[in-house]
Amino acid sequence: MTFNTILIVGGGLIGSSIARAAKAYDQAKTLYITDNSHSACSAIERLGIADGVSEGQADYFASQADLVVLCVPPGRMGSVAEKIIPNMKSGAVLSDVGSIKGAVIEAVTPFLRDDITFIPAHPIAGTEYSGPEAGSADMFKDRWCVLTPTKKGLPETKQLKDFWQGFGSQVSIMTPKRHDIVLATTSHVPHLIAYTLVGTAVDMEKVTANEVVKYSAGGFRDFTRIAASDPVMWRDVFLSNREATLEVVDRFIEDLTALKRAIRWEDGETLLEHFAKTRDIRRRIVDAGQDSAEPNFGRHD
Amino acid sequence: MTFNTILIVGGGLIGSSIARAAKAYDQAKTLYITDNSHSACSAIERLGIADGVSEGQADYFASQADLVVLCVPPGRMGSVAEKIIPNMKSGAVLSDVGSIKGAVIEAVTPFLRDDITFIPAHPIAGTEYSGPEAGSADMFKDRWCVLTPTKKGLPETKQLKDFWQGFGSQVSIMTPKRHDIVLATTSHVPHLIAYTLVGTAVDMEKVTANEVVKYSAGGFRDFTRIAASDPVMWRDVFLSNREATLEVVDRFIEDLTALKRAIRWEDGETLLEHFAKTRDIRRRIVDAGQDSAEPNFGRHD
């Protein structure tokens, strides 16, 4: 057991998964959850995944916790930190699960105290569903969790690493800046593009929404899953990781424009060359255990 | 049984699936496959999914077939039609499974004879895998198959409709032009975008390919599946459906530019409004039986 008492602030998809995993993998003696939604709190109680639940008072169990994990949308991290940090006990560890790190650190830092240690974290896991019912104890198994400690060699970093490894996660350490550009590439821009494409398809005057639905198995449906993710969280991610997102989007638009030109000029060689190289990265992802090799992700039609 | 003897030209993912389905659903008495690849022919023989296999001679069984289905990449439809049509028996039906219809019709039409009927078709099904081993008898179950007959009220259209419905497919009829813009939206542009994004990520100097692989579960991996599809087929699709593809891509770039602007100007409302509306189309796709509602398409991490 890495921490005795844990407080999860925000019992949604990720928060409730940490709660389940902490129990399943024996990583906490006592686990509390606070959430500002009434229905989420009822669900958490019904699911029995916490030793105590408090509605609307983020800091309710803060004074008892050895580890507090902020699992709220990036845009709420600052205000929640402001409320909780003054009530935390001396020597406790504060962490989060935000999909961006630079902006979260910036929002939390003004409220930090010398006697607590803040280790920002980002478990790269999730599904398109939201809320406590969607969580699972194995959400983080075989997935990577990135820690972006602001100081080197802290014993608390080692402790938090053990905590995440206890769930079956692999842990890597990088700077907040590097995290934000890597994740802009592998997560944020893919989401932005999926949201955009689904919107474009729905707005095409020449094609009805009904047709888009009927013929979605040709590729479109895979985008709709990603574009069904929590809208509030993603708005916050894009606004908080603005610079890196825009940098990757610009690169993507450049590349798309080049392929567009190849199509317009019937340059089949350029297309083929580009398409052939993308297969290799798929194979590497499957080999690395980051996706299923079954066709359609194992989806059985 | 709708057709007595069937010839499948090209025994890859789709061709071999038709062969399997025709046997499993009792839609053919005799079924032949021709393919110009030696390894594909060996695999088809080993799998035992055809009553006869011919390597390199597309027209080998053509004189016996009541139905010939061209299952080759769009760019090869014309040359294969030229070879096969003179050898087809009078009264037979010719069809195909090309992902674009206008260009296939244009390529095949010069070789048509008055005593055979050409009914273009497109079953909207598939996976990211290629080749005869990747096929399955239930590939077309609950999926849509679009027929684009060039004349109205043909009895052969009804016959081919029965054939596809026999596999559990739903059949719809539309003009080639409409098919090509609808599929540009639901399939061709999604593939182009997936291919582009995977290329962009791999080429980012600031992010290593290793990092892209490790952190792919944040959304990127879903794109790599689509971008692992057969490169030759997709090159042909884009070149053959140039006009519609470019029209949808331009709309997509417009929309992406608008969201980019919203991010740059921190206009959270525009982002939220856009992201919220895409959830509904996901729900409709699941309700229409065109995708699994399980998280991650039922992929178990």
Side-chain angles (χ1 to χ4, degrees), chain A residues 8-13 33-46 53-58 71-73 76 80 83 130-133:
Chain A
I8 306 285
V9 183
L13 175 70
I33 299 181
T34 60
D35 198 293
N36 63 4
S37 139
H38 178 67
S39 66
C41 289
S42 307
I44 291 160
E45 273 177 354
R46 198 171 54 246
V53 183
S54 168
E55 182 187 334
Q57 283 180 274
C71 305
V72 297
R76 288 191 52 230
V80 166
K83 216 170 156 189
S130 317
E133 263 112 354

Side-chain angles (χ1 to χ4, degrees), chain A residues 254-274:
Chain A
E254 256 177 45
D255 292 346
L256 183 58
T257 304
L259 289 181
K260 225 184 85 175
R261 196 181 305 121
I263 293 172
R264 195 181 298 284
W265 292 98
E266 304 192 48
D267 175 3
E269 245 172 89
T270 296
L271 293 177
L272 196 56
E273 198 183 302
H274 187 97

Side-chain angles (χ1 to χ4, degrees), chain B residues 118-167:
Chain B
F118 179 41
I119 315 277
H122 177 206
I124 298 161
T127 77
E128 68 276 31
Y129 290 90
S130 317
E133 263 111 354
S136 94
D138 285 325
M139 181 69 77
F140 312 110
K141 203 163 166 262
D142 299 327
R143 295 285 82 82
W144 285 86
C145 181
V146 179
L147 306 184
T148 63
T150 42
K151 281 179 203 146
K152 275 198 177 177
L154 292 172
E156 288 85 353
T157 302
K158 168 81 177 62
Q159 209 181 348
L160 199 64
K161 191 177 167 183
D162 289 344
F163 178 73
W164 281 102
Q165 285 177 339
F167 297 167

Side-chain angles (χ1 to χ4, degrees), chain A residues 129 222 225 242 250 293, chain B residues 129 222 225 250 260 264 293:
Chain A
Y129 290 89
D222 291 4
R225 186 187 76 80
R242 214 159 50 124
D250 281 339
Chain B
Y129 290 90
D222 291 4
R225 187 187 74 80
D250 281 338
K260 225 184 85 175
R264 196 180 297 284

Side-chain angles (χ1 to χ4, degrees), chain B residues 73-94:
Chain B
R76 288 190 52 229
M77 292 285 182
S79 61
V80 166
E82 183 177 14
K83 213 170 160 191
I84 288 174
I85 293 172
N87 297 300
M88 282 177 69
K89 75 175 176 194
S90 192
V93 175
L94 177 69

Side-chain angles (χ1 to χ4, degrees), chain A residues 227-290:
Chain A
S229 304
D230 186 20
V232 172
M233 190 193 91
W234 282 100
R235 176 202 59 191
D236 289 359
V237 168
F238 299 128
L239 294 180
S240 317
N241 197 17
R242 214 159 50 124
E243 213 179 302
T245 299
L246 293 176
E247 182 180 340
V248 181
V249 168
D250 281 339
R251 281 292 295 265
F252 169 81
I253 291 178
E254 256 177 45
D255 292 346
L256 183 58
T257 304
L259 289 181
K260 225 184 85 175
R261 196 181 305 121
I263 293 172
R264 195 181 298 284
W265 292 98
E266 304 192 48
D267 175 3
E269 245 172 89
T270 296
L271 293 177
L272 196 56
E273 198 183 302
H274 187 97
F275 299 166
K277 82 175 169 187
T278 57
R279 272 197 163 179
D280 173 59
I281 206 90
R282 171 82 194 151
R283 188 189 50 70
R284 288 181 57 188
I285 287 172
V286 169
D287 288 349
Q290 296 305 304

